[in-house]
Amino acid sequence: MSVYVGIDGHRKRSQIAVVDHDGAVQVNRHVPNGVETVLSVIGDLPIGAPVAFEAASGWGWLVELLEDYGFEPHLVHPLRCKAIASDRLKNDKVDAATLAQLLRADLLPEAWIARLQVRQQWAPLRHRCQLVRLRTLLRNRVHAVLADYGCDRSGAASPLRGGAGSTAWTCRTPPAAWSTIFWSRWTLSKEPLDAPDQQLVAHARGDPRVKTPTRLPGVGTLTARIIVAEIGDVSRFPSARKLTAWAGLTPTVRSSDLTVRHGHISKQGSDWLRWILCEAARTAKRSPEFAASHQRLARRRGKKIATTAIARRLPARACHLLRAVQAQRDRRGAR
């Protein structure tokens, strides 16, 4: 008898539902996350049984567990699943059973399950990006402390230019509590990123896929490595437009009869890929390749929309470049 499993997972606990081929619920239990607890519910099921679970935080360990024990994992797209199976009664028990029923009816909206190798590439790159964001946050807080005591944020009084931070601070006599806060934030904000940068660049040198996107304006080695890692296997996208949509850079569309309305970008898909493309577009818009179109669009729609339009062009061109590299590698492998 065929069985189907739906898991509504959270950070600490998960709801696991098992339904048979006729749709009858056999098991519906709430268990703590862990190998032993999950296997206590599905461990006796036949090998190859399909298991559906939502793309919540911390789903990587569940994929590895299911693959190690011979189950067939299916990652669910949360927003599309909500559009299909929205209900007035919503709780973990109902959600887990709904996932299993959609899987049984072959109506499950699935998302991409990245391989372990790809997820291992994500970790150091995302960690480095988070360190940069944290450093920017601390520097902004240093500016806020200086502003409280009338220190100028520009010129020699800026704490972000060499040793001017100490000069700007010693010109005032703040309370001891504020002095402690300032120096702790100042010390953390000056933490160098040379070691992780050198490690990431060293790993990128041997990968031809990383070298190819650097031909695009505004894309350096680290940016190209993030793009390649987030995309993974470029062959899973039928077209460059599909990749752009997966990055969340295509506009939303509401159409009825002859009325068509285009809204803001969807912002669905990979947040990290969309972020790094927007950062690259800030430099690419000044290149000869994009400067004229950016200025023309900025006059009509504004600078922000024009920069986003440049960011939308970058993944499309990167897709063609990566496809060429993949085709070249396939030809070499066929020889």
Side-chain angles (χ1 to χ4, degrees):
M1 179 179 65
S2 301
V3 293
Y4 304 87
V5 183
I7 301 179
D8 184 32
H10 300 279
R11 189 176 298 274
K12 295 183 179 180
R13 302 179 65 88
S14 296
Q15 186 77 29
I16 304 177
V18 180
V19 302
D20 58 19
H21 186 71
D22 297 327
V25 178
Q26 302 296 322
V27 179
N28 203 330
R29 290 177 54 187
H30 200 200
V31 299
N33 287 337
V35 176
E36 296 181 357
T37 53
V38 172
L39 290 179
S40 66
V41 181
I42 66 174
D44 296 333
L45 298 180
I47 296 177
V51 179
F53 56 95
E54 286 190 354
S57 60
W59 54 266
W61 71 273
L62 184 58
V63 172
E64 296 177 15
L65 173 64
L66 296 175
E67 291 178 345
D68 290 342
Y69 284 85
F71 297 102
E72 182 183 337
H74 295 267
L75 186 62
V76 181
H77 192 295
L79 294 179
R80 293 182 181 178
C81 184
K82 181 180 179 181
I84 295 175
S86 59
D87 202 338
R88 300 179 70 89
L89 177 62
K90 185 185 184 306
N91 52 50
D92 292 347
K93 195 172 183 178
V94 172
D95 290 347
T98 300
L99 291 177
Q101 297 289 2
L102 290 176
L103 183 60
R104 181 184 68 89
D106 196 20
L107 295 175
L108 195 71
E110 296 192 37
W112 173 55
I113 299 180
R115 303 190 310 273
L116 178 60
Q117 181 182 2
V118 176
R119 299 201 300 271
Q120 289 176 345
Q121 293 176 357
W122 289 348
L125 293 167
R126 293 180 177 182
H127 174 66
R128 194 263 182 191
C129 295
Q130 288 170 342
L131 289 178
V132 174
R133 291 181 179 181
L134 178 60
R135 185 175 63 178
T136 302
L137 172 64
L138 291 171
R139 289 182 175 181
N140 290 337
R141 297 309 304 159
V142 168
H143 278 312
V145 173
L146 293 175
D148 286 341
Y149 288 89
C151 294
D152 188 11
R153 292 182 56 185
S154 61
S158 175
L160 305 186
R161 301 187 180 184
S166 59
T167 303
W169 186 251
T170 54
C171 69
R172 304 296 178 185
T173 56
W178 281 108
S179 181
T180 303
I181 293 174
F182 171 82
W183 286 115
S184 62
R185 291 173 177 172
W186 172 251
T187 303
L188 291 174
S189 67
K190 298 295 290 183
E191 188 70 22
L193 297 177
D194 296 340
D197 286 350
Q198 291 176 359
Q199 183 180 5
L200 292 175
V201 171
H203 290 168
R205 288 175 180 171
D207 192 347
R209 299 179 304 164
V210 177
K211 185 178 180 180
T212 302
T214 57
R215 295 157 53 184
L216 297 173
V219 178
T221 302
L222 290 175
T223 301
R225 182 162 172 77
I226 296 175
I227 292 174
V228 171
E230 292 296 325
I231 292 176
D233 185 8
V234 70
S235 61
R236 63 191 181 93
F237 296 101
S239 63
R241 183 175 178 81
K242 294 290 185 179
L243 172 57
T244 307
W246 184 75
L249 291 171
T250 54
T252 56
V253 179
R254 292 184 177 273
S255 174
S256 178
D257 193 23
L258 299 179
T259 302
V260 180
R261 292 185 176 90
H262 296 274
H264 298 289
I265 59 176
S266 64
K267 293 186 179 181
Q268 296 185 16
S270 175
D271 296 335
W272 293 100
L273 179 59
R274 181 169 61 256
W275 167 74
I276 199 62
L277 289 172
C278 291
E279 291 295 317
R282 298 178 186 275
T283 302
K285 66 183 181 182
R286 295 190 293 269
S287 66
E289 188 174 354
F290 296 123
S293 59
H294 176 267
Q295 293 174 2
R296 184 169 56 253
L297 186 58
R299 286 193 295 266
R300 293 192 298 110
R301 303 295 304 277
K303 294 182 179 180
K304 291 184 178 180
I305 294 179
T307 304
T308 304
I310 301 301
R312 186 163 51 246
R313 298 183 186 182
L314 292 178
R317 301 197 178 191
C319 180
H320 295 303
L321 293 175
L322 293 175
R323 283 180 181 275
V325 173
Q326 184 66 35
Q328 186 177 5
R329 295 177 64 181
D330 292 342
R331 288 194 297 269
R332 290 179 179 177
R335 293 177 182 176

